[in-house]
Amino acid sequence: MSVAPPVHAPMTTDDLDAVTALEASLQAFPWSRGNFADSLLAGHDVRVCRSGSDLIGFAVVMPVLDEAHLLNIGVDRRYQGQGHGARLLQRVIDDARAGGAQRLLLEVRCSNRQAIAFYQRFGFARIGLRRGYYPATAGREDALVFDKELQ
């Protein structure tokens, strides 16, 4: 799919419906509209990536003192495999670093091998395990905790 150069911008309340719909298309247990709205209200770094009027992706980062925590990131399946996720994650890393974060943390489902490999390509390293962190069709699924030093 050919697209105009993507534009990264802060998410606004006008983006909530589109971001919630995108999240629902990507996840079996998606964030709700309220989760995204709460992140906006809390002052998290909530960003969207667009090409024209098309929503390509989004990212939600919670700054905490000298750390940043990537809470959620997603790219529309139609745009996956074209480097948009890599550019969005690099933007998250750059913004966290510019905001004074010394490291960036995230969780990923143990079963999500594609995401694990993606984060490792960016220099994230596994530092822990959160048991029963994610909802799953049969109970709960563990999460791997990754971090990346930024400074």
Side-chain angles (χ1 to χ4, degrees):
M1 172 176 287
S2 175
V3 296
V7 174
H8 295 256
M11 185 189 301
T12 69
T13 56
D14 291 341
D15 296 312
L16 286 173
D17 290 336
V19 169
T20 302
L22 175 54
E23 168 77 351
S25 77
L26 297 171
Q27 301 297 334
F29 300 92
W31 274 28
S32 69
R33 186 180 197 281
N35 293 133
F36 287 107
D38 288 347
S39 286
L40 280 173
L41 286 172
H44 297 165
D45 180 12
V46 188
R47 176 161 302 283
V48 293
C49 177
R50 291 190 177 281
S51 178
S53 62
D54 288 346
L55 177 67
I56 292 174
F58 63 86
V60 180
V61 177
M62 178 177 64
V64 181
L65 302 173
D66 63 347
E67 297 179 345
H69 191 151
L70 178 60
L71 300 177
N72 200 341
I73 189 169
V75 172
D76 187 313
R77 291 185 199 287
R78 297 173 300 158
Y79 295 97
Q80 290 179 6
Q82 300 174 35
H84 295 294
R87 285 187 291 277
L88 184 56
L89 182 58
Q90 188 60 57
R91 180 66 182 260
V92 164
I93 291 167
D94 293 345
D95 288 351
R97 184 180 288 126
Q102 300 291 311
R103 72 180 184 150
L104 180 61
L105 295 131
L106 61 88
E107 289 87 13
V108 62
R109 287 179 182 271
C110 289
S111 64
N112 194 342
R113 299 290 173 220
Q114 184 177 358
I116 291 166
F118 176 71
Y119 294 128
Q120 288 174 330
R121 281 195 305 273
F122 274 83
F124 284 85
R126 180 181 168 186
I127 61 166
L129 177 74
R130 297 193 199 281
R131 297 217 177 268
Y133 187 77
Y134 288 110
T137 35
R140 308 287 298 177
E141 182 176 354
D142 295 344
L144 300 175
V145 182
F146 282 81
D147 84 339
K148 176 180 175 64
E149 296 298 321
L150 301 180
Q151 302 297 329

